[in-house]
Amino acid sequence: MERELALEFVRVTEAAALSAARWMGRGNKDAADEAAVSAMRATFDTVQIDGIVVIGEGEMDEAPMLYIGERVGMGVPPMVDVAVDPLEGTNIVAKGLTGAIAVLAVAPRGTLLHAPDMYMDKIAVGPECKGRVSLDAPVKDNLKEVAKALNKKICELTVVVLDRPRHQELIEEIRMAGARIKLITDGDVSPAVAAAYPGSGVDILMGIGGAPEGVISAAALRCLGGDFQGRLWPTEEAEVERARSMGISDINHLFTLEELVQSEDVIFAATGITDGDLLKGVRYSARRARTHSLVMRGTSGTVRYIVADHQLDRKPLFKDNRIKVFEP
């Protein structure tokens, strides 16, 4: 993929973030999600790619989601797989909390795992820890390896875990090992990526979250040289059958980073919606807005931070009311 596409994908996440951020704290997660989806879909239509959504928010009959199998872009080469989460952290935006982002990943056709919309057990670490952790290893052993790689004591590590009842045993094991825990309410893509950034305050992400978000996180960590493993975690037989229908015959298979994202030619882009460890949220002023984004390319390993000031009256998508941004 041409490097010029990186900025085009940032425009896509910016549009989603600008739309969703107007719903912050209004208690309506569905409206925020719809605004982000509508903006992302409309902006994708202006990008010169022939894209198929392989990681989306639902099926074709679950509009307005960007559904699995949907075609995006202008229908011209390159042919790519697209993984999207227009609003990663719907509850976060609804409650006005921290850490919501608009995010996407793009790679050549056939190189992103078609992950079903179900749970995945995950572990994410930065470049120093690559090859030193495993979902099959005891929690304490993983923490020892991360501490050793980062030249820290276990008590100095920060582990991010989704605050869910299913993680009670995991949380106890982390505490018994002596590490610090940061519990989050929603949105595990941002902390997974932050684990690869020195000084982010995150050393490792562990626990069960969405499988689609796992593939998106893996795309970012592939760009950053970090590591990620995932294993599907079905809650009912229908999910097992769904995975098999998508070509995943072994539901217990341990997916490595290279299996989740099979090409280094991957682009990851994200824009902050609310303030978080990774990015600042959208700031509005009189008919203007400021966004904070990052975009990274796997082939070069380059990470760019982009601060953009938007004059919304000059943006056709907003000016012509094609997306719900000013009238929540």
Side-chain angles (χ1 to χ4, degrees), residues 3 16 57 90 140 142 154 156 212 221 252 263 296 300 305 313:
R3 64 172 60 91
E57 293 196 309
T90 54
K140 187 174 183 178
N142 281 325
I154 290 181
E156 296 172 335
L221 289 165
N252 295 312
S263 172
M296 54 185 83
S300 64
Y305 288 90
D313 284 338

Side-chain angles (χ1 to χ4, degrees), residues 94-126:
K95 297 177 181 179
L97 302 176
T98 60
I101 59 175
V103 61
L104 62 83
V106 181
R109 184 72 51 83
T111 60
L112 293 181
L113 179 74
H114 294 210
D117 191 3
M118 57 187 290
Y119 287 133
M120 173 183 278
D121 195 9
K122 314 172 189 178
I123 187 167
V125 293

